[in-house]
Amino acid sequence: MSYPPMDKDKLLTRAQIAELAGVSRSIITIWEKQEADYPSPRRLGGQEYFRRPEVLRWLDRRVVPPELLTADEPAGITYGNRARKKEEAGKPLAATAKRRHSASSPYRVPTGAVDEPRPENQQIVNELLGIFVDRIRGAASVLDYLNLLACLHYLRSTAADRFEILAARARTLTSLDETAQLLRDIGRETDEDIRSTRGHASMQEALQRLEPRTARDLRHVVDAMSRLDEDVFGLFLDEYERQATLGSGEFFTPRAVVRVMTRLACSEFGPGKPESVYDPYARDGGFLIEASAACALDEEGLPREEAVRTYGETRRADTWRLATMNLLLHGVSPTLDLKRTAPWDNSPGHAPPGPFDIVLTNPPFNMSDPGRGERSNGQWAYGAPPLDNDNFAWVQHCLASLREGGLAGIIMPNKAGNSGHKAERTVRRNLVESGVVDCVIALPAQLFTGTAVPVSVWFLRHPDTPCDKTLFLDARHMGEKSGSRRVLNAVDAESIFSAYRAHRNPREAVPSLGATAAEQQVSGALVDRDELRRSDYSLNPLDYVERQRGKDNDREHELKAAWRSLDHAEQRLRHTQDAATWLSSVRILESLPRRTRPASVFALDSLCEIQAGPSYSKLGKAHRSAGGLVPVVFPRHLRDRHISDEKDELVSEETAHRLENFKLREKDIVCVRSGAIVPPALVQEHQVGWLMSPNVIRLRVLKEQECRVLPEYLFHYLCLDESVAWMQDRAAATAAPSLRTGSLGSLGIPLPEPTEQLEIVTMLNGLDELDRAHNTVAASLRHSRIALAGVLLNPAEPAPDIQSRVRFEKKASL
């Protein structure tokens, strides 16, 4: 590994900046993402560094918040002042201290995965995962093409000289025979390099199945890979997981979850202390990578004399190859074994080379209810798990793999925390009575690609260092929607870590930065053994965190807020009713528009521009990301004749600018193009600039027809049951349910005079507004009922007095 030069213009890593500023490493990531003027990194020896003068100037502009001041710091001190004081104190930094390893040393300091690649690298990946997928693979699978990208990225990062030779050959390709030979050589070079590290690889066979259409296509792919200048292997793994549909037993663990689990486990040891890490179900090797990176430096900030010993086991050959490459890319020895038997099979040659300081894993879930039988074979210190459910077999194996003082972090389905099965309850009871359950964190649902099962993270201690109380944290509300999944960002991970430290080590806890108070809050409860016994040894955080909230009078606060919301909703309803008194059944019949002549009928395409959404190659999955700013409208967002404000599909401003012709304007009408046909929706003012997805159609009144047809009238006509049925019939007539723009354009639209259209729109809009007001009152009433029941039926706190309730009721009825 190369190190930065030691001169007056020092270079700092992100970890060193965090150390100088007195903040956590994740805060640096947050600052870098959110602050446009944050210094730019320099790349050296495969790593990124920042110039010290630029960092200090930037820190000088940031004042330390009062709640984060140390005892000897005055109010108004900047992070720059704090950094200089630390430097003056003589604390050694890895970038300036004496190097422990020579330049020729094979040792490489492990690095964690990149949180979010820079836009230029993300754009290259989008290009590679776009049209080139089909142009390169031919009759082969998408996974074979992804293996090619993985091999090129691997060789470029670990064997740059050989990659340059291959890239030079790619630039001179002229025939398909030369292309096939180059693919074989890329696979062979990758296999030889991985085998030299005692890893497993068989990439040559996979790459030989590829059938590029032209030599030029492969030239483009190799050239694009040569332009990548940071680690994007995680993006290729994400796409591999999506294409392979690995199933609930093999889905990769989200990097944010890996990061927070690793940080919690390693923080219990301190710099340079953990010597070994084990993952009995290694998947993509993420836990071994992050743990090695977190423990790479000693207490002086220097690379450790010896790397952390890592060991992992995996069950599938294809993920074994990818995990091996992933580990090597991040400087971690690929000590991975492919095992077909369960890890608790302790027959000769099967036992892991333990014990270990840290065990981190995401084992396969068994969600079916276990049978009545219990295992007779095996050694189970906390009780034999059920025959057909391995959840508690994994728990006990992880505990058995710990050395004294060790800590294990395991992802478990929530159901395991309060299962009523006798054998599982027995294991939970013995875990609690032994004091090994340190913490349980409830995570958001839909974090994983292969399953929507809600999960928790269990942290378990070696029985020789038991804890008297178990910490329960509720992080279910964290994260943002991204398609069908939820994604935890750096702020979420920092909030979870801060909540853990605040409960376990209050004096050392540092409030997280970069988020609002609501985002930072992760509710928790420290529960002693007696309360766990009274709860039948449940390890579900919801059984305890909710009770803690009740003790803090949150229920009464929620009740008052619910009554206020109900009062506001009823006021709005009364106002709406007053403004629409003419909407009574008698008056509306009397005021119906009287037509003097039949309305003329026009084809829809003579009144509107009918525009289908962009093609998938222009706006596919690869173009969307949780970090984008511009929402994309899909068919599922069309609900009750409105476009939902749920911004779960986003693209960057650059992508939106490129697709300018597909942006929405106020009063555009959006219809479903492919999928289940539902009533269309009218674009509102705050939705201007949002993008159409490939699965919708946009209707926009032609400029020359604006004097003839009102967009709202057209919208209401298209929402008629007859109009929706007409569209459904045309969509069903195609091979795959899809509404073509030509078919939609032939729909006949009766057009009365504009004044009559306006009267119709006014009536229907008035009824829609009244409908929304009634629905809001109904929803508020249901919320109030739930909140009141929570107060009245909770034995842990007194119900509010009758007079208070009467006052609430009188107020709501005024």
Side-chain angles (χ1 to χ4, degrees):
M1 174 180 175
S2 301
Y3 285 79
M6 293 183 294
D7 55 18
K8 294 181 180 179
D9 191 10
K10 300 174 186 175
L11 297 177
L12 304 174
T13 66
R14 292 177 177 86
Q16 291 161 2
I17 296 172
E19 181 184 349
L20 284 175
V23 299
S24 67
R25 168 63 180 79
S26 297
I27 295 302
I28 301 301
T29 300
I30 295 167
W31 282 347
E32 192 174 358
K33 287 181 179 180
Q34 296 183 350
E35 305 295 337
D37 60 341
Y38 193 84
S40 300
R42 272 73 170 166
R43 195 163 186 85
L44 183 64
Q47 302 297 316
E48 289 188 336
Y49 298 90
F50 296 80
R51 291 184 63 242
R52 174 183 172 277
E54 293 178 2
V55 170
L56 289 179
R57 281 197 295 272
W58 190 86
L59 292 175
D60 282 337
R61 297 195 294 270
R62 293 189 69 92
V63 176
V64 180
E67 66 271 17
L68 300 184
L69 293 171
T70 60
D72 58 341
E73 287 180 334
I77 189 174
T78 67
Y79 283 104
N81 300 140
R82 175 186 282 180
R84 290 184 181 86
K85 285 182 65 176
K86 286 200 173 188
E87 284 187 328
E88 291 169 3
K91 192 166 187 176
L93 295 171
T96 57
K98 182 178 180 181
R99 283 177 281 179
R100 187 172 280 159
H101 301 280
S102 67
S104 60
S105 171
Y107 179 81
R108 176 184 170 195
V109 177
T111 57
V114 172
D115 285 323
E116 185 177 334
R118 292 192 295 274
E120 54 269 30
N121 289 303
Q122 180 72 60
Q123 185 175 355
I124 294 172
V125 172
N126 293 344
E127 176 187 346
L128 290 166
L129 297 178
I131 60 173
F132 287 110
V133 177
D134 292 332
R135 296 190 65 85
I136 294 293
R137 70 184 180 95
S141 71
V142 176
L143 302 184
D144 291 328
Y145 173 73
L146 290 169
N147 281 327
L148 168 63
L149 300 184
C151 289
L152 290 171
H153 188 50
Y154 172 80
L155 289 173
R156 187 185 183 283
S157 303
T158 62
D161 53 344
R162 278 176 284 172
F163 175 84
E164 288 303 328
I165 294 172
L166 294 169
R169 285 176 55 190
R171 288 191 287 271
T172 62
L173 289 177
T174 57
S175 70
L176 289 178
D177 287 340
E178 292 176 349
T179 300
Q181 183 59 51
L182 180 61
L183 287 171
R184 284 193 293 271
D185 291 344
I186 292 171
R188 178 178 52 78
E189 291 282 358
T190 304
D191 289 345
E192 289 179 358
D193 192 90
I194 293 177
R195 287 169 187 154
S196 69
T197 64
R198 299 187 301 279
H200 173 80
S202 56
M203 289 296 183
Q204 185 174 358
E205 178 183 352
L207 268 54
Q208 282 179 311
R209 293 192 288 266
L210 296 172
E211 300 174 352
R213 294 183 186 179
T214 66
R216 178 182 173 185
D217 290 330
L218 185 58
R219 285 204 308 269
H220 277 304
V221 169
V222 177
D223 176 67
M225 292 299 300
S226 67
R227 288 185 277 117
L228 290 169
D229 60 1
E230 67 177 330
D231 171 33
V232 295
F233 196 75
L235 297 182
F236 296 141
L237 286 179
D238 291 342
E239 183 66 12
Y240 187 97
E241 178 185 38
R242 189 178 73 85
Q243 295 287 346
T245 58
L246 297 171
S248 62
E250 280 293 334
F251 52 79
F252 299 145
T253 310
R255 283 183 283 281
V257 176
V258 171
R259 185 99 10 111
V260 73
M261 289 177 62
T262 303
R263 189 174 175 202
L264 282 175
C266 295
S267 67
E268 294 298 294
F269 290 86
K273 299 300 182 184
E275 297 179 357
S276 54
V277 181
Y278 171 46
D279 184 350
Y281 205 90
R283 300 179 188 267
D284 63 346
F287 283 116
L288 301 179
I289 291 169
E290 292 301 330
S292 297
C295 304
L297 305 178
D298 62 17
E299 61 276 0
E300 296 179 345
L302 293 169
R304 295 172 55 153
E305 290 283 2
E306 295 182 3
V308 175
R309 178 170 64 90
T310 61
Y311 176 70
E313 299 171 8
T314 185
R315 301 293 183 276
R316 289 172 54 124
D318 52 353
T319 52
W320 184 21
R321 291 191 294 268
L322 292 172
T324 298
M325 295 172 72
N326 201 15
L327 289 162
L328 288 169
L329 280 168
H330 293 93
V332 182
S333 176
T335 48
L336 279 178
D337 282 343
L338 180 64
K339 290 190 175 181
R340 304 297 185 186
T341 59
W344 45 86
D345 178 3
N346 289 325
S347 55
H350 287 86
F356 301 89
D357 292 316
I358 295 174
V359 177
L360 294 166
T361 194
N362 176 15
F365 302 151
N366 293 119
M367 287 309 300
S368 59
D369 290 323
R372 295 177 178 273
E374 295 182 6
R375 304 181 194 216
S376 56
N377 62 327
Q379 298 179 349
W380 307 106
Y382 300 91
L387 277 171
D388 53 353
N389 191 306
D390 290 338
N391 289 333
F392 284 94
W394 287 104
V395 168
Q396 296 192 68
H397 172 70
C398 291
L399 277 168
S401 303
L402 289 176
R403 65 164 41 124
E404 186 174 349
L407 188 67
I410 314 167
I411 295 177
M412 293 286 284
N414 284 356
K415 187 175 181 179
N418 53 12
S419 164
H421 190 278
K422 178 181 177 183
E424 295 190 332
R425 181 188 174 280
T426 298
V427 175
R428 287 202 310 271
R429 179 195 66 204
N430 292 333
L431 292 173
V432 169
E433 295 296 347
S434 301
V436 300
V437 186
D438 175 81
C439 178
V440 181
I441 306 172
L443 295 178
Q446 299 176 314
L447 280 177
F448 301 91
T449 298
T451 178
V453 172
V455 300
S456 297
V457 177
W458 293 18
F459 282 98
L460 307 174
R461 294 187 173 277
H462 189 278
D464 287 347
T465 55
C467 47
D468 296 326
K469 294 183 178 181
T470 298
L471 173 61
F472 293 92
L473 297 176
D474 182 8
R476 291 175 301 158
H477 62 287
M478 309 295 282
E480 298 176 348
K481 284 285 288 182
S482 177
S484 60
R485 294 174 59 183
R486 290 194 75 81
V487 178
L488 294 176
N489 57 34
V491 175
D492 299 323
E494 183 66 21
S495 296
I496 295 172
F497 178 77
S498 296
Y500 178 86
R501 301 301 291 173
H503 284 87
R504 282 298 185 200
N505 302 286
R507 294 181 180 178
E508 300 177 13
V510 177
S512 58
L513 301 178
T516 65
E519 290 170 329
Q520 291 176 12
Q521 185 177 9
V522 179
S523 299
L526 266 175
V527 181
D528 59 31
R529 209 164 296 167
D530 287 338
E531 188 171 350
L532 290 171
R533 292 186 187 113
R534 289 193 297 270
S535 297
D536 201 25
Y537 298 102
S538 169
L539 294 180
N540 189 327
L542 308 189
D543 289 339
Y544 305 100
V545 178
E546 290 294 337
R547 295 180 191 176
Q548 193 80 0
R549 289 174 180 166
K551 294 175 184 176
D552 294 335
N553 294 321
D554 282 353
R555 284 194 179 90
E556 188 171 341
H557 175 76
E558 183 180 356
L559 175 60
K560 293 177 180 178
W563 279 112
R564 284 195 297 270
S565 297
L566 177 59
D567 186 44
H568 293 157
E570 288 182 330
Q571 287 181 24
R572 179 190 169 195
L573 175 59
R574 287 192 294 272
H575 177 76
T576 304
Q577 288 173 326
D578 291 342
T581 53
W582 54 273
L583 284 174
S584 69
S585 59
V586 174
R587 293 181 183 179
I588 201 167
L589 288 173
E590 292 175 349
S591 57
L592 283 177
R594 305 300 178 186
R595 291 180 181 168
T596 57
R597 58 188 175 84
S600 302
V601 177
F602 295 82
L604 183 62
D605 58 8
S606 68
L607 302 172
C608 292
E609 167 199 308
I610 303 178
Q611 173 67 59
S615 65
Y616 190 81
S617 62
K618 292 181 179 178
L619 187 57
K621 182 67 176 177
H623 301 91
R624 306 192 296 273
S625 70
L629 297 175
V630 182
V632 183
V633 178
F634 281 78
R636 66 174 182 274
H637 297 132
L638 273 58
R639 302 174 190 166
D640 299 325
R641 294 174 287 130
H642 288 83
I643 296 176
S644 165
D645 287 334
E646 183 180 14
K647 301 175 183 178
D648 56 352
E649 295 285 359
L650 301 164
V651 296
S652 67
E653 290 182 318
E654 292 81 5
T655 299
H657 180 71
R658 178 169 52 85
L659 300 174
E660 186 76 29
N661 292 337
F662 300 98
K663 286 184 176 180
L664 298 173
R665 298 179 190 168
E666 188 177 5
K667 297 186 179 180
D668 281 348
I669 301 169
V670 180
C671 305
V672 175
R673 178 186 183 188
S674 58
I677 303 297
V678 298
L682 194 67
V683 177
Q684 304 301 311
E685 183 180 3
H686 68 280
Q687 295 163 340
V688 170
W690 292 14
L691 274 183
M692 308 161 56
S693 73
N695 311 97
V696 301
I697 295 174
R698 181 190 68 203
L699 306 180
R700 179 177 293 163
V701 174
L702 295 169
K703 224 169 196 22
E704 59 269 25
Q705 298 291 357
E706 289 178 350
C707 60
R708 174 175 289 175
V709 59
L710 296 177
E712 297 95 330
Y713 170 82
L714 191 58
F715 162 69
H716 285 301
Y717 186 84
L718 292 173
C719 288
L720 283 173
D721 289 346
E722 297 93 320
S723 300
V724 175
W726 187 94
M727 290 186 277
Q728 290 171 341
D729 179 66
R730 271 44 178 194
T734 59
S738 179
L739 183 60
R740 303 185 186 281
T741 56
S743 298
L744 182 59
S746 66
L747 175 62
I749 308 293
L751 279 189
E753 292 298 322
T755 54
E756 187 176 333
Q757 292 181 40
L758 182 59
E759 291 176 4
I760 293 171
V761 167
T762 302
M763 289 184 179
L764 295 179
N765 283 351
L767 284 173
D768 285 344
E769 180 65 25
L770 200 57
D771 178 49
R772 284 192 293 271
H774 277 288
N775 285 333
T776 302
V777 170
S780 297
L781 192 58
R782 285 193 295 270
H783 183 201
S784 299
R785 191 267 178 199
I786 293 171
L788 182 60
V791 172
L792 296 176
L793 302 177
N794 180 20
E797 59 185 48
D801 61 88
I802 297 297
Q803 290 183 351
S804 298
R805 285 201 298 259
V806 171
R807 284 196 297 271
F808 280 135
E809 292 167 359
K810 284 183 177 179
K811 181 182 178 183
S813 63
L814 290 177

